[in-house]
Amino acid sequence: METREAQIRRPRQQRSRERFEAILDAAERLLQDRDPHDVSIYTIAEEADMPPPSIYHFFPDGNHVFMALAERYFNMFLGGLESIEGKQFDDWQALVEFRYALSRDLFNNNVAARKILLGAAATWAIRTRDIDTNRQLARGAIVELNRFFILPKVPELVDRITETIIMNDAIWALYDHRFGHLPDDQEIFARRARLGHMRTYLPEYLTARDTVLSVEEAATIAF
């Protein structure tokens, strides 16, 4: 007999969506001070001031709460964290580092995000979804590069940039494990690693565009 895998029950009505988000907020607060294995449906219910059945209505277990919280962070990254409209970049390296600096700031300002995406709460399901998100981020990076610079055609560029992102995240995970955060004095090594990897498939210098392209124009060129 085939069994169905337990799934998150995602709400449609506004009131239910607010409860759903309140549950994620409670889990995020708990993860600031607790290890993931100390966070359960019951501790989340207590923190959210809800009965446990209200949590089980949406989530079969605590790991699925972590998965939904990971989705929140993935959406933040995919949203760009900060707009580049009106900004200028002297070279492609500066644009790349602008994006990585925003991601690093998010991790350093949110213990739960580090535990969910880089640390002990990163389940196989979260890591699999993370890889999919990284491919989306890679596609977005190619569009952004094309907006500011004349980017040559590079075979399998999405794969190459995805590799860079995954490599960088592995280094950050190591830093989080060693230091409990992503320290400033170690970031130079992560920077050298990601830019060094990118230089294996991008030229050192790209010609800047006279006019910054729109997202739609850049996407047409990129893909």
Side-chain angles (χ1 to χ4, degrees):
M1 180 178 178
E2 184 178 353
T3 58
R4 295 179 62 185
E5 182 181 354
Q7 299 289 333
I8 298 170
R9 183 178 181 183
R10 300 188 182 276
R12 296 183 180 179
Q13 297 182 348
Q14 179 63 27
R15 185 176 178 183
S16 294
R17 287 198 296 267
E18 290 173 355
R19 276 196 298 153
F20 188 92
E21 293 301 320
I23 292 166
L24 299 188
D25 291 342
E28 187 174 63
R29 290 193 299 272
L30 289 171
L31 286 169
Q32 301 297 314
D33 302 311
R34 301 191 188 190
D35 289 334
H37 64 262
D38 292 327
V39 177
S40 67
I41 292 292
Y42 293 94
T43 58
I44 294 171
E46 182 179 2
E47 177 68 23
D49 195 21
M50 297 180 188
S54 294
I55 314 294
Y56 280 117
H57 177 75
F58 299 109
F59 304 99
D61 54 44
N63 281 336
H64 282 78
V65 178
F66 294 161
M67 183 69 230
L69 196 52
E71 291 286 350
R72 173 188 281 184
Y73 300 137
F74 292 147
N75 289 332
M76 292 171 68
F77 287 121
L78 290 171
L81 301 178
E82 183 179 325
S83 174
I84 61 170
E85 300 305 323
K87 298 186 184 301
Q88 296 293 326
F89 301 97
D90 292 335
D91 50 42
W92 66 264
Q93 294 89 338
L95 172 55
V96 168
E97 289 308 295
F98 172 77
R99 283 301 182 204
Y100 275 101
L102 292 174
S103 297
R104 181 169 170 267
D105 287 344
L106 185 150
F107 278 127
N108 271 334
N109 292 327
N110 193 318
V111 176
R114 297 202 305 274
K115 290 178 179 178
I116 290 285
L117 300 183
L118 301 178
T123 62
W124 178 251
I126 290 175
R127 292 188 184 280
T128 300
R129 180 67 180 88
D130 193 14
I131 292 173
D132 293 337
T133 299
N134 288 337
R135 287 191 63 82
Q136 292 178 264
L137 290 172
R139 293 179 67 87
I142 293 169
V143 171
E144 282 196 344
L145 286 167
N146 269 294
R147 292 189 66 188
F148 290 87
F149 304 97
I150 299 175
L151 193 64
K153 294 295 183 182
V154 179
E156 300 178 330
L157 185 55
V158 173
D159 290 338
R160 302 291 77 78
I161 294 182
T162 301
E163 291 165 358
T164 300
I165 297 170
I166 292 173
M167 178 188 67
N168 179 84
D169 286 354
I171 295 172
W172 280 356
L174 173 62
Y175 291 165
D176 184 54
H177 176 73
R178 291 179 60 193
F179 306 108
H181 66 292
L182 310 180
D184 292 344
D185 63 352
Q186 298 295 310
E187 183 57 17
I188 185 174
F189 302 110
R191 181 179 186 274
R192 288 172 179 170
R194 60 182 173 253
L195 289 180
H197 186 258
M198 293 188 76
R199 288 182 174 114
T200 65
Y201 54 82
L202 288 182
E204 184 67 20
Y205 301 101
L206 294 176
T207 301
R209 295 190 182 279
D210 295 331
T211 303
V212 177
L213 300 182
S214 69
V215 173
E216 293 75 16
E217 290 171 329
T220 299
I221 294 172
F223 306 109

